[in-house]
Amino acid sequence: MSARSFRSVGWVAGVAATALGCYMVNLKVASERAALEDVETRIVLAERDIRLLQTEIGTRGRLAQLEKWNVKVLALSAPAANQFMDGSFQLATLVAPQKVLDPTAPVVLASAPALAHQPVLASDGAVASPSAQSSPAGMLHTASLKRELPAAAMPRRVAPAPKPVPEKSKLAQAAAERPTPARRKVAPKVDPLAPKPEAKATAPAKTGAAASKPKAVALTKPKAKVETKTAAAKPKREAESEAAAKPKREAATKTAATSKPKSKEAPAKQ
Amino acid sequence: MNAPTPALVGRPDRLRLVGQRRQLLAVMHQRLMFGMLVYAGIIAVIVLRLLWLAAFGDHAGRKTTVTTAAPDRGDIVDRNGQPLARTIDAWTIAVHPTKILGNKLDLARKLAALMPERDEAGWLQLLRSNKNFIFLRRRAAPSLVEAVNALGEPGMALSREPDRLYPQTDLAAHVLGFTDIDGHGAAGMERAFDQRLTDSATRGEPLVLSISAPVQQALEHELLEAKTTFSAIGAAGIVMDIHTGEILAMTSLPQLNPNIAGNMDPEARFNRATLGVWELGSTFKPFTVAMAMDAGKVKSMGQIYNCPRQLHAFGRTINDTHPFGRACTVAEIMQESSNIGTAQIAAQTGAEAQKRFLKGMGFLDPIAIELKEKGRTLTPGSDWSELATMTVGYGHGIAVTPLHLATGYATLFNGGIYRPATLLKVGPGHQVPRGRRVFSDATSYKMRALLRLVVTEGTGGKADAPGYRVGGKTGTAEKLIGGRYSKNVVVTSFAGVFPMDEPRYAMVVMLDEPKGTADTYGFRTAGWNAAPTFGRVVSRIAPMLGVRPDLKREPNMAEVLPYIRKED
């Protein structure tokens, strides 16, 4: 009875609720759309601002202005034909070390100085600058230029021997003798690929602990045989000036870079 | 239904009365129903409309002002997209004299301090005028606008309006042109493409020119320096891609600042590159030789001509700056820029062939370019006698624009095909036109060595930019003043192509009335002013254009070198 009489009221309520729901959805959509439009408007405004700023930057940095600065301050000019490179290889050749063929430079002894340098590097930063400068160069050249594997491996084994004998004459002898036996012995044992990293890695470990100058002298002597001889014979100053006169060579060739600074130090200590 | 049944019996008048009443009622019902339906319909329409609006309509907060970023007038950009012309919103200061509330004398005093173009009396007079609205300043600086706003006078109107700005100021001003006060193009590309730049359908996309801003800047700077050094009254320069006809740089001096074009000297607004026509002298000689070669009159660079110290022809005397006084080869004629030799070659070719070739290169018509500033070439016209043929052969008696010359050189060195010059970047929307053949491929090839010779051994030595294989020809033409050729007033030019072994770019440099300097030993010929300018520009722009300098490359000089006698 009552259910039937309220049926129409139920219908009305249902329809009203549905209509209201639809309207709510509608309202929601409309507000979302408004927000979207708001964002779009902001984008357009931002684009306008960007355009305005770009125009301002472009106007302030106009080519005529840059040219004026160039003429008055920088004075840059167009590159000449010979300033153009064929490629990265030609560019690299500009900074490549000049290889000077020096018959007296003992190619063999390339890696020994790397050993000798390490103490200076590892122990004390305040040590004379030449050694500090030379050590990275020495390492670099050991890694790149030296292709002879035995030479790299050699110092570890051979170097300790001359330690107690710092005299020049003996060193010279030792140097003369050493290379041949050392190479013969070591070469077969060492892994052909290993020596380069080894030489670098082991050196600091060894030298870091006992970084005394005498040792360094002893180590370097054999390598820098030819140069040290002359350097030691001359007064220290001369040796220094000679060293200074050949900066290019030092940087360029492996042997020179590694041995020179040592030869300077050696006579001073003695 | 309600009609009286025949069975009902009553008095006839009464019956009639009832019938009338019922009829009346029925009509009333009908009308009421109709009225209700009308109202219901109207309400339904309103409701439906409301529903429709609620579902799909705009909302109240809709902004209609900013809907798109498209400028009021399209941008113009260079080939790399660098803006050369833009429209910005600029501040405008105006005044409504009738709406001023404050003391006009005070206001006039303050305005005179802010905008000194008028004194106090002037401002007062302006403020007291009966006009409704007066523009005081367009494109006002923001600081000035701020100061005017701070006056707090409601009669002052500050508003924004679109304004054309050329961010690069002088750069390529004659190519761009400028707009008038209403924002319509008044010159240059602004004028030529006014429709395209203002149409709402196309203005969103910038107009891409073939101009390259760095190249243009280099050309303008070097030319300006040359103009100053040699005290020339004007100059023009064009750099062109010979294969596509694209103009990479085109300038005319004195400079024009399109931002204030209205205040500029008319001389500055004059485009010397496309509107001015000049007798360009010896730069025409390569065309004469090429014509003779194409016509089969000159078979080799070693062909011999008699080159006396003076040539008398048809009552005229033709002179040379470096007279040979002996027999000379075509290569030597070009090397020393001999008028006498070239005149003979031209005479051999004949007027008809000469006209045909000049027509082919577009020298007899207004220059083909998008700009509307086009000069009319001056030619012998109907009086194309044999003497005219000879003088045209070495560039006298015919006046063309520098752009004609550049197009001619492009035609000569791109394999012999004429293509009209264009200022629009060649790309998907703008293809290279097919062109028409003027010279044969072989002629085009042989000319390379000949023009390279002019630079390596001849009059154009100073145009050389080491490594870039410049080839070209100097031209010094006496100016026609009052109907007579003046000895002292000249137009010098250098037209050339680089790199000569594989030509890619043609360039023309022209100086109007250069003077001699101490550095040039008083000479004012092209070899001393136009040629070095050319060389300097090439050494600056060639790397930008991707030309690799190479000191070991040269065109095939064996074509010409055997025919040169070294003078000791």
Side-chain angles (χ1 to χ4, degrees), chain A residues 26 30 33-34 37-38 41 44-45 47-48 51-52 54-55 58-59 62-64 67 71 78-79 81-82 84-86, chain B residues 54-55 57 59 62-63 66 68-69 71 75 86-87 165 167-169 171 213 217 221 466-468 539-540 543 548-549:
Chain A
N26 196 2
R33 191 181 294 155
E37 272 168 15
D38 206 33
T41 309
V44 170
L45 286 175
E47 275 173 359
R48 279 196 174 182
R51 204 177 127 84
L52 199 69
Q54 273 177 344
T55 310
T59 310
R62 58 187 184 272
L63 288 166
E67 181 94 43
V71 168
N82 56 8
F84 284 81
M85 297 285 125
D86 277 327
Chain B
H59 60 88
R62 176 95 172 193
K63 296 184 185 72
V66 188
T68 168
D75 288 356
R86 273 195 158 170
T87 294
L165 175 79
Q168 300 282 350
T169 58
L171 194 80
Q217 173 60 34
H221 178 77
Y468 294 110
S539 62
R540 272 188 70 173
R548 255 193 75 84

Side-chain angles (χ1 to χ4, degrees), chain A residues 45 50-51 70 86 98 129 138 166 173 187 210 238 248 258-259 267:
Chain A
L45 286 175
I50 290 170
R51 204 177 127 84
N70 184 37
D86 277 327
Q98 293 177 339
S129 57
Q173 279 180 354
E238 226 176 324
K248 248 183 220 167
T258 50
S259 62

Side-chain angles (χ1 to χ4, degrees), chain B residues 303-321:
Chain B
Q303 193 158 320
I304 304 283
Y305 287 86
N306 183 25
C307 298
R309 297 198 155 267
Q310 282 193 327
L311 183 68
H312 302 282
F314 307 100
R316 287 279 191 89
T317 306
I318 299 174
N319 290 302
D320 269 350
T321 22

